[in-house]
Amino acid sequence: MDVLTKVPVREQEAAARAKNFDEVCLGYNKEEAMEEATRCINCKNAQCVKGCPVAIDIPAFIEQVKLGNIEEAYQIISRSSALPAVCGRVCPQESQCEGKCIRGIKGDPVSIGKLERFVADWARENGIRPEPAKEKNGRKVAVIGSGPAGLTCAGDLAKLGYDVTIFEALHEAGGVLVYGIPEFRLPKEEVVAKEIANVVSLGVKIEKNVIIGKSITIDELISEEGFEAVFIGSGAGLPKFMGIPGENANGVFSANEYLTRSNLMKAFNEDSNTPIMRGKKVAVVGGGNVAMDAARTALRLGAEVHIVYRRSEEELPARVEEVHHAKEEGIIFDLLTNPTEILEDENNWVRGMKCIRMELGEPDASGRRRPVEIPDSEFEMELDTVIMSLGTSPNPLISSTTEGLETNKWKCIVADEEFGRTSKEGVFAGGDAVTGAATVILAMGAGKAAAKGIHEYLSNR
């Protein structure tokens, strides 16, 4: 075996997968996983662990995979992560654990994410679950939101013996995992639902269709329902738009709405009660992972799809793997291009989009080179659907109905990074509700930090 090269991961062929919603990556089998695990050199000062926001003991679990002890590998992972089958699929490992892997200096880094996925999938298929708390302490904690931050915080607190209830606004638990990430990247029934069931098996209760700030307030949870601490992990579900003419036309969607219709409401099925517009020529404005998800969903619904992004490929914020998959599937990238107006027909339906060519100038505050318009370079694209994927911000409902909860100018809740403490005593927050839209694993890291903060807070009362 060549120790410098990863064991390849099987995938659906691009031509086939572009026409279905089945999972693209097929993962490792046990033999492949054990072979890949032998590439790990079991560093004493493991940099990969430092690169993991939830601090999984990566060398230890990989060592167990190497020995074929998959159940033990799973228990090692589950001590740190509530959602290993999710993280193994959607984490940006290339910039976190694998980005720090010493093996990657002279060759390919160890496929840590694919090994984590294999272990979690094997545990699920063999009925293995995380170890619950030995005894309960009877103290009540409320968690708002059942996305990655909320599930992680709830799971960690349950393992410490707390009586935890998650309050979810939607009719299905999972947050962005169910409404934001497509089936072909993250299967809902087979993966997400089973990961949530593992959290419930620890004793966590989930109440759905409860809108905090409307059904009940945080103050009422504390004063009337007997919760001693509250964690806000409500995410960032309020979409942003460009503010250009024509954005109110029929056929303009936020990526948030488009993906929610497809992922949560199963609108890609012909018999769905929540239809989705099946455009013939679709432009997705933006270059992040959500833009790739929306574009690849539109492609599977039968459209010719263009990614319209104002910077070059080097500045694309999406994962390299997602860009690679999108290109393989036939998505067209119109880079260094910026929309200036959405064109409507006489019935207010999208008929096209005016754009202007861009070039890169000096770096801006983000460190990326600022895109600058090229004079007299306007042109029109003929379209019937536009999907805006420009990021999201937190819904202000919770902060506006909670007395004494400080927010910043972006309407994000202010919380310290170490423990998620907010300006209101007993209330903690983390994930996208604090940072704005970010990754699943960073939200999980915030949920884990808040669980420690809540435990410390309640232990001293």
Side-chain angles (χ1 to χ4, degrees), residues 174-232:
V176 71
L177 305 176
V178 294
Y179 73 71
I181 303 175
E183 196 82 22
F184 54 81
R185 280 219 293 141
L186 186 61
K188 307 307 169 210
E189 292 300 322
E190 190 61 27
V191 175
V192 178
K194 300 291 174 60
E195 295 271 76
I196 293 171
N198 282 344
V199 175
V200 171
S201 76
L202 297 170
V204 174
K205 297 182 283 293
I206 302 178
E207 292 195 20
K208 304 168 193 172
N209 300 306
V210 179
I211 301 173
I212 301 298
K214 193 170 183 182
S215 307
I216 191 169
T217 66
I218 286 176
D219 293 312
E220 288 168 343
L221 287 174
I222 295 169
S223 64
E224 298 177 18
E225 300 298 325
F227 290 99
E228 297 183 66
V230 176
F231 171 70
I232 304 170

Side-chain angles (χ1 to χ4, degrees), residues 8-29:
V9 181
R10 291 164 288 116
E11 295 180 342
Q12 274 198 79
E13 289 293 329
R17 72 181 190 241
K19 297 176 181 177
N20 66 55
F21 280 82
D22 297 337
E23 193 167 12
V24 169
C25 180
L26 304 178
Y28 285 144
N29 59 31

Side-chain angles (χ1 to χ4, degrees), residues 58 78 83 200 304 345:
I58 293 167
S78 67
L83 306 168
V200 171
E304 175 190 307
D345 66 16

Side-chain angles (χ1 to χ4, degrees), residues 258 279-284 298 303-306 383-387:
Y258 192 82
K280 293 179 180 176
K281 190 169 181 181
V282 176
V284 178
E304 175 190 307
V305 184
H306 295 246
L383 304 164
D384 60 13
T385 308
V386 176
I387 301 170

